[in-house]
mmCIF file of all heavy atoms in Angstrom:
data_model
loop_
_atom_site.group_PDB
_atom_site.id
_atom_site.type_symbol
_atom_site.label_atom_id
_atom_site.label_comp_id
_atom_site.label_asym_id
_atom_site.label_seq_id
_atom_site.Cartn_x
_atom_site.Cartn_y
_atom_site.Cartn_z
ATOM 1 N N VAL A 1 50.862 66.423 15.454
ATOM 2 C CA VAL A 1 51.708 67.437 14.699
ATOM 3 C C VAL A 1 52.961 66.645 14.033
ATOM 4 O O VAL A 1 53.664 65.996 14.864
ATOM 5 C CB VAL A 1 52.176 68.513 15.674
ATOM 6 C CG1 VAL A 1 53.181 69.499 15.062
ATOM 7 C CG2 VAL A 1 51.038 69.301 16.298
ATOM 8 N N PRO A 2 53.157 66.902 12.797
ATOM 9 C CA PRO A 2 54.282 66.320 12.175
ATOM 10 C C PRO A 2 55.569 66.973 12.590
ATOM 11 O O PRO A 2 55.550 68.202 12.688
ATOM 12 C CB PRO A 2 54.142 66.533 10.670
ATOM 13 C CG PRO A 2 53.220 67.650 10.584
ATOM 14 C CD PRO A 2 52.361 67.564 11.865
ATOM 15 N N ARG A 3 56.647 66.244 12.854
ATOM 16 C CA ARG A 3 57.904 66.878 13.105
ATOM 17 C C ARG A 3 59.042 66.713 12.167
ATOM 18 O O ARG A 3 59.784 67.555 11.937
ATOM 19 C CB ARG A 3 58.425 66.280 14.461
ATOM 20 C CG ARG A 3 57.533 66.420 15.660
ATOM 21 C CD ARG A 3 57.610 67.946 16.004
ATOM 22 N NE ARG A 3 56.693 68.208 17.254
ATOM 23 C CZ ARG A 3 56.033 69.292 17.450
ATOM 24 N NH1 ARG A 3 56.197 70.321 16.552
ATOM 25 N NH2 ARG A 3 55.444 69.507 18.466
ATOM 26 N N HIS A 4 58.974 65.498 11.286
ATOM 27 C CA HIS A 4 59.914 65.203 10.376
ATOM 28 C C HIS A 4 59.402 64.407 9.213
ATOM 29 O O HIS A 4 58.762 63.389 9.708
ATOM 30 C CB HIS A 4 61.121 64.627 10.939
ATOM 31 C CG HIS A 4 62.250 64.453 9.864
ATOM 32 N ND1 HIS A 4 62.518 63.259 9.324
ATOM 33 C CD2 HIS A 4 63.349 65.364 9.512
ATOM 34 C CE1 HIS A 4 63.532 63.333 8.420
ATOM 35 N NE2 HIS A 4 63.926 64.616 8.557
ATOM 36 N N TYR A 5 59.545 64.683 7.976
ATOM 37 C CA TYR A 5 59.045 63.817 7.055
ATOM 38 C C TYR A 5 60.320 63.068 6.248
ATOM 39 O O TYR A 5 61.289 63.774 5.861
ATOM 40 C CB TYR A 5 58.333 64.490 5.885
ATOM 41 C CG TYR A 5 57.009 64.961 6.232
ATOM 42 C CD1 TYR A 5 56.925 66.294 6.946
ATOM 43 C CD2 TYR A 5 55.838 64.293 6.060
ATOM 44 C CE1 TYR A 5 55.574 66.852 7.206
ATOM 45 C CE2 TYR A 5 54.546 64.880 6.453
ATOM 46 C CZ TYR A 5 54.473 66.073 7.049
ATOM 47 O OH TYR A 5 53.359 66.581 7.471
ATOM 48 N N GLN A 6 60.260 61.853 6.021
ATOM 49 C CA GLN A 6 61.145 61.093 5.105
ATOM 50 C C GLN A 6 60.325 60.512 3.962
ATOM 51 O O GLN A 6 59.501 59.543 4.327
ATOM 52 C CB GLN A 6 61.918 60.034 5.922
ATOM 53 C CG GLN A 6 62.989 59.254 4.915
ATOM 54 C CD GLN A 6 63.549 58.317 5.832
ATOM 55 O OE1 GLN A 6 63.947 58.367 7.036
ATOM 56 N NE2 GLN A 6 63.991 57.204 5.166
ATOM 57 N N LEU A 7 60.462 61.027 2.668
ATOM 58 C CA LEU A 7 59.597 60.598 1.654
ATOM 59 C C LEU A 7 60.449 59.801 0.601
ATOM 60 O O LEU A 7 61.503 60.223 0.319
ATOM 61 C CB LEU A 7 58.911 61.757 0.996
ATOM 62 C CG LEU A 7 58.070 62.587 1.897
ATOM 63 C CD1 LEU A 7 57.601 63.908 1.201
ATOM 64 C CD2 LEU A 7 57.042 61.775 2.465
ATOM 65 N N GLU A 8 59.797 58.789 0.112
ATOM 66 C CA GLU A 8 60.340 58.137 -1.028
ATOM 67 C C GLU A 8 59.263 58.233 -2.018
ATOM 68 O O GLU A 8 58.061 57.728 -1.734
ATOM 69 C CB GLU A 8 60.641 56.610 -0.731
ATOM 70 C CG GLU A 8 61.888 56.434 0.089
ATOM 71 C CD GLU A 8 62.114 55.045 0.514
ATOM 72 O OE1 GLU A 8 61.560 54.143 -0.216
ATOM 73 O OE2 GLU A 8 62.937 54.752 1.356
ATOM 74 N N ILE A 9 59.498 58.691 -3.343
ATOM 75 C CA ILE A 9 58.399 58.852 -4.325
ATOM 76 C C ILE A 9 58.994 58.288 -5.649
ATOM 77 O O ILE A 9 60.155 58.607 -6.096
ATOM 78 C CB ILE A 9 58.170 60.250 -4.513
ATOM 79 C CG1 ILE A 9 57.638 60.918 -3.271
ATOM 80 C CG2 ILE A 9 57.023 60.419 -5.579
ATOM 81 C CD1 ILE A 9 57.390 62.392 -3.287
ATOM 82 N N TYR A 10 58.233 57.312 -6.189
ATOM 83 C CA TYR A 10 58.624 56.788 -7.450
ATOM 84 C C TYR A 10 57.728 56.946 -8.496
ATOM 85 O O TYR A 10 56.600 56.337 -8.593
ATOM 86 C CB TYR A 10 58.816 55.152 -7.266
ATOM 87 C CG TYR A 10 59.743 54.773 -6.181
ATOM 88 C CD1 TYR A 10 59.379 54.482 -4.940
ATOM 89 C CD2 TYR A 10 61.161 54.751 -6.353
ATOM 90 C CE1 TYR A 10 60.261 54.287 -3.787
ATOM 91 C CE2 TYR A 10 62.057 54.552 -5.213
ATOM 92 C CZ TYR A 10 61.554 54.203 -4.083
ATOM 93 O OH TYR A 10 62.435 53.920 -3.037
ATOM 94 N N PRO A 11 57.931 58.030 -9.344
ATOM 95 C CA PRO A 11 57.115 58.365 -10.441
ATOM 96 C C PRO A 11 57.191 57.361 -11.725
ATOM 97 O O PRO A 11 58.190 56.806 -11.956
ATOM 98 C CB PRO A 11 57.570 59.761 -10.929
ATOM 99 C CG PRO A 11 58.942 59.790 -10.511
ATOM 100 C CD PRO A 11 59.107 58.853 -9.315
ATOM 101 N N HIS A 12 55.947 57.109 -12.235
ATOM 102 C CA HIS A 12 55.870 56.208 -13.373
ATOM 103 C C HIS A 12 55.186 57.125 -14.385
ATOM 104 O O HIS A 12 53.997 57.166 -14.614
ATOM 105 C CB HIS A 12 55.008 55.069 -13.161
ATOM 106 C CG HIS A 12 55.296 54.291 -11.895
ATOM 107 N ND1 HIS A 12 56.521 53.503 -11.813
ATOM 108 C CD2 HIS A 12 54.843 54.290 -10.596
ATOM 109 C CE1 HIS A 12 56.613 53.034 -10.605
ATOM 110 N NE2 HIS A 12 55.695 53.433 -9.802
ATOM 111 N N LEU A 13 56.085 57.908 -15.097
ATOM 112 C CA LEU A 13 55.521 58.909 -16.106
ATOM 113 C C LEU A 13 54.811 58.349 -17.255
ATOM 114 O O LEU A 13 53.821 59.053 -17.663
ATOM 115 C CB LEU A 13 56.722 59.689 -16.495
ATOM 116 C CG LEU A 13 57.507 60.537 -15.463
ATOM 117 C CD1 LEU A 13 58.740 61.259 -16.175
ATOM 118 C CD2 LEU A 13 56.600 61.458 -14.798
ATOM 119 N N ASP A 14 55.123 57.062 -17.657
ATOM 120 C CA ASP A 14 54.367 56.581 -18.763
ATOM 121 C C ASP A 14 52.939 56.477 -18.519
ATOM 122 O O ASP A 14 52.074 56.588 -19.399
ATOM 123 C CB ASP A 14 54.968 55.355 -19.221
ATOM 124 C CG ASP A 14 56.412 55.358 -19.772
ATOM 125 O OD1 ASP A 14 56.765 56.621 -20.197
ATOM 126 O OD2 ASP A 14 57.090 54.482 -19.820
ATOM 127 N N ASP A 15 52.506 55.963 -17.280
ATOM 128 C CA ASP A 15 51.168 55.771 -17.084
ATOM 129 C C ASP A 15 50.576 56.754 -16.067
ATOM 130 O O ASP A 15 49.427 56.745 -15.711
ATOM 131 C CB ASP A 15 50.923 54.423 -16.594
ATOM 132 C CG ASP A 15 51.483 54.089 -15.128
ATOM 133 O OD1 ASP A 15 52.095 55.013 -14.534
ATOM 134 O OD2 ASP A 15 51.342 52.972 -14.690
ATOM 135 N N GLY A 16 51.250 57.769 -15.784
ATOM 136 C CA GLY A 16 50.786 58.970 -14.952
ATOM 137 C C GLY A 16 50.564 58.582 -13.453
ATOM 138 O O GLY A 16 49.582 59.180 -12.965
ATOM 139 N N THR A 17 51.311 57.720 -12.869
ATOM 140 C CA THR A 17 51.101 57.364 -11.542
ATOM 141 C C THR A 17 52.344 57.395 -10.776
ATOM 142 O O THR A 17 53.436 57.644 -11.324
ATOM 143 C CB THR A 17 50.525 55.824 -11.448
ATOM 144 O OG1 THR A 17 51.525 54.943 -11.897
ATOM 145 C CG2 THR A 17 49.153 55.664 -12.178
ATOM 146 N N PHE A 18 52.298 57.212 -9.468
ATOM 147 C CA PHE A 18 53.399 57.194 -8.667
ATOM 148 C C PHE A 18 53.117 56.290 -7.377
ATOM 149 O O PHE A 18 51.966 56.115 -7.193
ATOM 150 C CB PHE A 18 53.963 58.559 -8.228
ATOM 151 C CG PHE A 18 53.078 59.315 -7.364
ATOM 152 C CD1 PHE A 18 53.058 59.315 -5.995
ATOM 153 C CD2 PHE A 18 52.140 60.180 -7.964
ATOM 154 C CE1 PHE A 18 52.118 60.007 -5.255
ATOM 155 C CE2 PHE A 18 51.260 60.828 -7.158
ATOM 156 C CZ PHE A 18 51.300 60.925 -5.866
ATOM 157 N N ASP A 19 54.243 55.910 -6.758
ATOM 158 C CA ASP A 19 53.969 55.104 -5.478
ATOM 159 C C ASP A 19 55.211 55.528 -4.544
ATOM 160 O O ASP A 19 56.127 56.085 -5.027
ATOM 161 C CB ASP A 19 53.837 53.671 -5.646
ATOM 162 C CG ASP A 19 55.005 53.000 -6.267
ATOM 163 O OD1 ASP A 19 56.148 53.000 -5.844
ATOM 164 O OD2 ASP A 19 54.873 52.467 -7.531
ATOM 165 N N GLY A 20 55.064 55.203 -3.317
ATOM 166 C CA GLY A 20 56.027 55.518 -2.519
ATOM 167 C C GLY A 20 55.751 55.141 -1.044
ATOM 168 O O GLY A 20 54.844 54.495 -0.628
ATOM 169 N N THR A 21 56.714 55.584 -0.228
ATOM 170 C CA THR A 21 56.601 55.392 1.249
ATOM 171 C C THR A 21 56.817 56.768 1.957
ATOM 172 O O THR A 21 57.770 57.552 1.539
ATOM 173 C CB THR A 21 57.597 54.386 1.825
ATOM 174 O OG1 THR A 21 57.387 53.142 1.030
ATOM 175 C CG2 THR A 21 57.494 54.109 3.242
ATOM 176 N N ALA A 22 56.125 57.028 3.089
ATOM 177 C CA ALA A 22 56.433 58.122 3.892
ATOM 178 C C ALA A 22 56.604 57.676 5.353
ATOM 179 O O ALA A 22 55.770 56.862 5.842
ATOM 180 C CB ALA A 22 55.159 59.127 3.912
ATOM 181 N N VAL A 23 57.643 58.152 5.932
ATOM 182 C CA VAL A 23 58.016 57.849 7.292
ATOM 183 C C VAL A 23 57.924 59.138 7.987
ATOM 184 O O VAL A 23 58.700 60.079 7.654
ATOM 185 C CB VAL A 23 59.395 57.223 7.463
ATOM 186 C CG1 VAL A 23 59.622 56.932 9.078
ATOM 187 C CG2 VAL A 23 59.443 55.884 6.681
ATOM 188 N N ILE A 24 56.907 59.374 8.860
ATOM 189 C CA ILE A 24 56.671 60.652 9.429
ATOM 190 C C ILE A 24 56.775 60.693 11.025
ATOM 191 O O ILE A 24 56.106 59.841 11.651
ATOM 192 C CB ILE A 24 55.223 61.238 9.143
ATOM 193 C CG1 ILE A 24 54.916 61.109 7.635
ATOM 194 C CG2 ILE A 24 55.070 62.574 9.707
ATOM 195 C CD1 ILE A 24 53.559 61.300 7.345
ATOM 196 N N GLN A 25 57.773 61.291 11.560
ATOM 197 C CA GLN A 25 57.918 61.430 12.964
ATOM 198 C C GLN A 25 56.842 62.497 13.442
ATOM 199 O O GLN A 25 56.730 63.604 12.893
ATOM 200 C CB GLN A 25 59.332 61.902 13.254
ATOM 201 C CG GLN A 25 60.372 60.889 13.067
ATOM 202 C CD GLN A 25 61.725 61.427 13.246
ATOM 203 O OE1 GLN A 25 61.932 62.359 14.168
ATOM 204 N NE2 GLN A 25 62.771 60.762 12.614
ATOM 205 N N ILE A 26 55.999 62.002 14.233
ATOM 206 C CA ILE A 26 54.933 62.783 14.769
ATOM 207 C C ILE A 26 54.996 63.084 16.352
ATOM 208 O O ILE A 26 55.704 62.217 16.969
ATOM 209 C CB ILE A 26 53.479 62.218 14.473
ATOM 210 C CG1 ILE A 26 53.368 60.924 15.088
ATOM 211 C CG2 ILE A 26 53.417 62.177 12.935
ATOM 212 C CD1 ILE A 26 51.988 60.325 14.839
ATOM 213 N N GLU A 27 54.166 64.099 16.746
ATOM 214 C CA GLU A 27 54.071 64.289 18.169
ATOM 215 C C GLU A 27 52.516 64.253 18.363
ATOM 216 O O GLU A 27 51.882 65.045 17.789
ATOM 217 C CB GLU A 27 54.616 65.559 18.584
ATOM 218 C CG GLU A 27 54.573 65.833 20.079
ATOM 219 C CD GLU A 27 55.658 65.143 20.819
ATOM 220 O OE1 GLU A 27 56.810 64.894 20.318
ATOM 221 O OE2 GLU A 27 55.451 64.878 22.006
ATOM 222 N N VAL A 28 52.117 63.231 19.244
ATOM 223 C CA VAL A 28 50.577 63.208 19.482
ATOM 224 C C VAL A 28 50.379 64.133 20.705
ATOM 225 O O VAL A 28 50.999 63.992 21.816
ATOM 226 C CB VAL A 28 50.166 61.800 19.910
ATOM 227 C CG1 VAL A 28 48.679 61.815 20.249
ATOM 228 C CG2 VAL A 28 50.564 60.728 18.759
ATOM 229 N N GLN A 29 49.639 65.146 20.407
ATOM 230 C CA GLN A 29 49.343 66.298 21.395
ATOM 231 C C GLN A 29 48.155 65.866 22.287
ATOM 232 O O GLN A 29 48.314 66.433 23.540
ATOM 233 C CB GLN A 29 48.939 67.637 20.674
ATOM 234 C CG GLN A 29 50.078 68.042 19.681
ATOM 235 C CD GLN A 29 51.367 68.528 20.409
ATOM 236 O OE1 GLN A 29 51.302 69.431 21.225
ATOM 237 N NE2 GLN A 29 52.408 68.105 19.968
ATOM 238 N N GLU A 30 47.287 65.242 21.927
ATOM 239 C CA GLU A 30 46.168 64.750 22.733
ATOM 240 C C GLU A 30 45.744 63.320 22.395
ATOM 241 O O GLU A 30 45.917 62.900 21.332
ATOM 242 C CB GLU A 30 44.824 65.577 22.330
ATOM 243 C CG GLU A 30 45.032 67.086 22.626
ATOM 244 C CD GLU A 30 43.832 67.858 22.051
ATOM 245 O OE1 GLU A 30 42.659 67.221 21.964
ATOM 246 O OE2 GLU A 30 44.057 69.037 21.725
ATOM 247 N N PRO A 31 45.368 62.604 23.272
ATOM 248 C CA PRO A 31 44.963 61.190 23.118
ATOM 249 C C PRO A 31 43.957 61.172 21.989
ATOM 250 O O PRO A 31 43.026 61.866 21.891
ATOM 251 C CB PRO A 31 44.475 60.542 24.331
ATOM 252 C CG PRO A 31 45.129 61.470 25.448
ATOM 253 C CD PRO A 31 45.246 62.785 24.752
ATOM 254 N N CYS A 32 44.081 60.140 21.003
ATOM 255 C CA CYS A 32 43.216 60.081 19.809
ATOM 256 C C CYS A 32 43.230 58.712 19.281
ATOM 257 O O CYS A 32 44.201 57.918 19.525
ATOM 258 C CB CYS A 32 43.440 61.191 18.756
ATOM 259 S SG CYS A 32 45.122 61.031 18.089
ATOM 260 N N GLN A 33 42.326 58.403 18.349
ATOM 261 C CA GLN A 33 42.247 57.123 17.778
ATOM 262 C C GLN A 33 42.479 57.196 16.252
ATOM 263 O O GLN A 33 42.353 56.168 15.552
ATOM 264 C CB GLN A 33 41.060 56.341 18.085
ATOM 265 C CG GLN A 33 41.283 55.262 19.167
ATOM 266 C CD GLN A 33 40.040 54.431 19.437
ATOM 267 O OE1 GLN A 33 39.255 54.717 20.111
ATOM 268 N NE2 GLN A 33 40.142 53.239 18.785
ATOM 269 N N SER A 34 42.653 58.428 15.716
ATOM 270 C CA SER A 34 42.765 58.610 14.313
ATOM 271 C C SER A 34 43.815 59.720 13.960
ATOM 272 O O SER A 34 43.857 60.711 14.814
ATOM 273 C CB SER A 34 41.487 58.814 13.533
ATOM 274 O OG SER A 34 40.861 59.980 13.976
ATOM 275 N N ILE A 35 44.362 59.694 12.816
ATOM 276 C CA ILE A 35 45.318 60.876 12.340
ATOM 277 C C ILE A 35 44.708 61.255 10.985
ATOM 278 O O ILE A 35 44.636 60.472 10.091
ATOM 279 C CB ILE A 35 46.677 60.330 12.256
ATOM 280 C CG1 ILE A 35 47.147 59.850 13.520
ATOM 281 C CG2 ILE A 35 47.547 61.403 11.603
ATOM 282 C CD1 ILE A 35 48.523 59.140 13.537
ATOM 283 N N VAL A 36 44.432 62.476 10.925
ATOM 284 C CA VAL A 36 43.979 63.112 9.685
ATOM 285 C C VAL A 36 45.123 63.706 8.835
ATOM 286 O O VAL A 36 46.028 64.428 9.381
ATOM 287 C CB VAL A 36 42.923 64.181 9.849
ATOM 288 C CG1 VAL A 36 42.286 64.743 8.683
ATOM 289 C CG2 VAL A 36 41.711 63.583 10.703
ATOM 290 N N LEU A 37 45.138 63.505 7.494
ATOM 291 C CA LEU A 37 46.229 63.873 6.728
ATOM 292 C C LEU A 37 45.600 64.415 5.301
ATOM 293 O O LEU A 37 44.534 64.033 4.945
ATOM 294 C CB LEU A 37 47.110 62.616 6.228
ATOM 295 C CG LEU A 37 47.746 61.868 7.283
ATOM 296 C CD1 LEU A 37 48.076 60.507 6.943
ATOM 297 C CD2 LEU A 37 49.017 62.591 7.822
ATOM 298 N N ASN A 38 46.377 65.275 4.791
ATOM 299 C CA ASN A 38 46.139 65.762 3.413
ATOM 300 C C ASN A 38 46.324 64.617 2.426
ATOM 301 O O ASN A 38 47.247 63.855 2.613
ATOM 302 C CB ASN A 38 46.878 66.982 2.961
ATOM 303 C CG ASN A 38 46.460 68.203 3.797
ATOM 304 O OD1 ASN A 38 45.192 68.468 3.986
ATOM 305 N ND2 ASN A 38 47.340 68.984 4.210
ATOM 306 N N SER A 39 45.377 64.398 1.422
ATOM 307 C CA SER A 39 45.620 63.124 0.644
ATOM 308 C C SER A 39 44.989 63.393 -0.818
ATOM 309 O O SER A 39 44.413 62.491 -1.387
ATOM 310 C CB SER A 39 44.815 61.956 1.268
ATOM 311 O OG SER A 39 43.459 62.222 1.398
ATOM 312 N N VAL A 40 45.263 64.467 -1.402
ATOM 313 C CA VAL A 40 44.764 64.783 -2.731
ATOM 314 C C VAL A 40 45.502 63.746 -3.714
ATOM 315 O O VAL A 40 46.659 63.614 -3.773
ATOM 316 C CB VAL A 40 44.902 66.217 -3.211
ATOM 317 C CG1 VAL A 40 46.485 66.604 -3.370
ATOM 318 C CG2 VAL A 40 44.178 66.454 -4.455
ATOM 319 N N HIS A 41 44.564 62.975 -4.442
ATOM 320 C CA HIS A 41 45.092 62.047 -5.529
ATOM 321 C C HIS A 41 45.897 60.956 -4.853
ATOM 322 O O HIS A 41 46.568 60.359 -5.543
ATOM 323 C CB HIS A 41 45.900 62.743 -6.586
ATOM 324 C CG HIS A 41 45.264 63.831 -7.254
ATOM 325 N ND1 HIS A 41 44.063 63.651 -7.862
ATOM 326 C CD2 HIS A 41 45.554 65.166 -7.515
ATOM 327 C CE1 HIS A 41 43.716 64.894 -8.331
ATOM 328 N NE2 HIS A 41 44.633 65.754 -8.094
ATOM 329 N N LEU A 42 45.708 60.601 -3.568
ATOM 330 C CA LEU A 42 46.476 59.383 -2.948
ATOM 331 C C LEU A 42 45.590 58.339 -2.521
ATOM 332 O O LEU A 42 44.457 58.601 -2.005
ATOM 333 C CB LEU A 42 47.111 60.038 -1.701
ATOM 334 C CG LEU A 42 48.334 61.020 -1.909
ATOM 335 C CD1 LEU A 42 48.863 61.491 -0.585
ATOM 336 C CD2 LEU A 42 49.446 60.405 -2.720
ATOM 337 N N THR A 43 46.138 57.067 -2.593
ATOM 338 C CA THR A 43 45.534 55.977 -1.970
ATOM 339 C C THR A 43 46.557 55.337 -1.085
ATOM 340 O O THR A 43 47.738 55.143 -1.389
ATOM 341 C CB THR A 43 45.221 54.974 -3.029
ATOM 342 O OG1 THR A 43 44.284 55.565 -4.017
ATOM 343 C CG2 THR A 43 44.489 53.719 -2.445
ATOM 344 N N PHE A 44 46.180 55.032 0.250
ATOM 345 C CA PHE A 44 47.090 54.436 1.237
ATOM 346 C C PHE A 44 46.987 52.998 1.146
ATOM 347 O O PHE A 44 45.845 52.396 1.309
ATOM 348 C CB PHE A 44 46.729 54.949 2.627
ATOM 349 C CG PHE A 44 46.827 56.462 2.740
ATOM 350 C CD1 PHE A 44 46.045 57.194 3.584
ATOM 351 C CD2 PHE A 44 47.989 57.164 2.051
ATOM 352 C CE1 PHE A 44 46.251 58.543 3.673
ATOM 353 C CE2 PHE A 44 48.152 58.623 2.276
ATOM 354 C CZ PHE A 44 47.256 59.202 2.969
ATOM 355 N N HIS A 45 47.973 52.248 0.931
ATOM 356 C CA HIS A 45 47.955 50.784 0.841
ATOM 357 C C HIS A 45 48.283 50.215 2.174
ATOM 358 O O HIS A 45 47.682 49.168 2.584
ATOM 359 C CB HIS A 45 49.088 50.254 -0.167
ATOM 360 C CG HIS A 45 48.820 50.592 -1.485
ATOM 361 N ND1 HIS A 45 47.693 50.267 -2.218
ATOM 362 C CD2 HIS A 45 49.484 51.254 -2.403
ATOM 363 C CE1 HIS A 45 47.687 50.636 -3.393
ATOM 364 N NE2 HIS A 45 48.794 51.279 -3.573
ATOM 365 N N GLU A 46 48.996 50.835 3.055
ATOM 366 C CA GLU A 46 49.319 50.341 4.353
ATOM 367 C C GLU A 46 49.698 51.508 5.256
ATOM 368 O O GLU A 46 50.588 52.406 4.840
ATOM 369 C CB GLU A 46 50.532 49.308 4.261
ATOM 370 C CG GLU A 46 50.945 48.697 5.586
ATOM 371 C CD GLU A 46 52.059 47.683 5.427
ATOM 372 O OE1 GLU A 46 53.193 48.274 4.976
ATOM 373 O OE2 GLU A 46 51.781 46.638 5.620
ATOM 374 N N ALA A 47 49.200 51.437 6.480
ATOM 375 C CA ALA A 47 49.639 52.552 7.429
ATOM 376 C C ALA A 47 49.876 51.833 8.785
ATOM 377 O O ALA A 47 49.070 51.075 9.352
ATOM 378 C CB ALA A 47 48.491 53.566 7.574
ATOM 379 N N THR A 48 51.063 52.157 9.369
ATOM 380 C CA THR A 48 51.461 51.588 10.680
ATOM 381 C C THR A 48 51.970 52.739 11.538
ATOM 382 O O THR A 48 52.621 53.692 11.039
ATOM 383 C CB THR A 48 52.564 50.509 10.487
ATOM 384 O OG1 THR A 48 53.592 50.958 9.941
ATOM 385 C CG2 THR A 48 51.957 49.291 9.830
#
C-alpha cells in the first residue's frame, strides 16, 4: 500500500516525452516478491 509519493517529472514537450523519479513510501502488508503498479505509457529504467 502506498503511503506517500514524491514525484519529479521533467516533460520534453518538443518530442512528446518525459522522464523522472518517483520515491514512494510504502507499507508491505503481506510478504511478497513483487510490487504491481499502474504504468500506462511508462518505462521503468531502474527500481530499488
Side-chain angles (χ1 to χ4, degrees):
V1 177
R3 297 294 183 205
H4 183 267
Y5 292 87
Q6 180 180 327
L7 303 175
E8 294 178 11
I9 303 172
Y10 303 98
H12 310 287
L13 297 178
D14 292 340
D15 67 359
T17 64
F18 63 93
D19 56 61
T21 303
V23 178
I24 309 167
Q25 294 176 20
I26 61 173
E27 185 77 26
V28 180
Q29 302 290 312
E30 299 173 29
C32 59
Q33 262 187 276
S34 67
I35 298 173
V36 180
L37 303 157
N38 291 315
S39 65
V40 66
H41 305 305
L42 294 177
T43 300
F44 299 145
H45 293 301
E46 181 179 65
T48 58

